[in-house]
């Protein structure tokens, strides 16, 4: 039960940022996350939020061009997420999809770091690969 999730695969959206030592969140950016209180809601228990995934250590021992994961000098991956339930009306999905970029941009004051994490799909963010494309 602890590791289970209730987020439906198709009723979920995420935006991410790869944070380096130069792009760590400031106190003001963390405080901007209070916009979570403006989440439009849904019937999904997982709701919305943001999380930081720590990197470093062994991850940094592999060269950036050795695998598909190129962010070997990152400190954190930040994920901002929203979800809704299978039986929520379309207006709920629309509201969540409009809210997520507003939440994300509130944290980064409209200027997010240039990289995102490829396993948190975000069609609005250009994902950089080891080839720079």
């Amino acid at each position: 039960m602890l590791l289970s999730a209730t987020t439906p695969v198709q009723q979920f959206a995420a935006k991410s940022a790869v944070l380096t030592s130069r792009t760590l969140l400031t106190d003001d950016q963390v405080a901007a996350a209070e916009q979570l209180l403006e989440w439009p809601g849904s019937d999904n228990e997982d709701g919305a939020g943001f999380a930081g995934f720590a990197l470093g250590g062994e991850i940094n021992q592999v060269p950036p061009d050795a695998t598909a994961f190129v962010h070997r000098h990152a400190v954190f991956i930040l994920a901002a997420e929203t979800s809704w339930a299978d039986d929520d009306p379309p207006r709920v999905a629309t509201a969540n999809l409009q809210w997520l970029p507003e939440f994300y941009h509130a944290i980064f004051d409209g200027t997010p770091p240039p990289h995102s994490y490829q396993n948190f799909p975000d069609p609005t963010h250009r994902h950089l690969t080891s080839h720079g494309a």
Side-chain angles (χ1 to χ4, degrees):
M1 188 68 167
L2 178 65
L3 298 177
S4 68
T6 59
T7 306
V9 174
Q10 299 301 316
Q11 287 74 17
F12 175 84
K15 293 184 75 59
S16 67
V18 175
L19 304 176
T20 66
S21 59
R22 288 179 284 185
T23 59
L24 288 176
L25 297 182
T26 65
D27 289 344
D28 288 342
Q29 288 175 301
V30 173
E34 74 181 10
Q35 189 166 337
L36 271 171
L37 299 173
E38 303 299 322
W39 178 61
S42 77
D43 286 336
N44 188 287
E45 294 176 6
D46 281 350
F50 76 105
F53 300 90
L55 301 175
E58 294 296 318
I59 289 173
N60 293 347
Q61 301 304 314
V62 178
D65 61 354
T67 69
F69 183 78
V70 299
H71 309 292
R72 299 297 174 166
H73 300 292
V75 180
F76 289 98
I77 294 172
L78 178 122
E81 307 166 339
T82 189
S83 65
W84 52 98
D86 290 330
D87 57 350
D88 277 331
R91 65 179 163 71
V92 172
T94 299
N96 275 269
L97 290 170
Q98 289 174 343
W99 171 83
L100 181 62
E102 293 169 5
F103 172 61
Y104 183 83
H105 287 292
I107 294 171
F108 293 110
D109 196 24
T111 309
H115 299 166
S116 63
Y117 180 50
Q118 59 266 36
N119 282 351
F120 298 149
D122 174 3
T124 65
H125 198 123
R126 186 175 145 231
H127 297 283
L128 298 177
T129 68
S130 60
H131 302 293

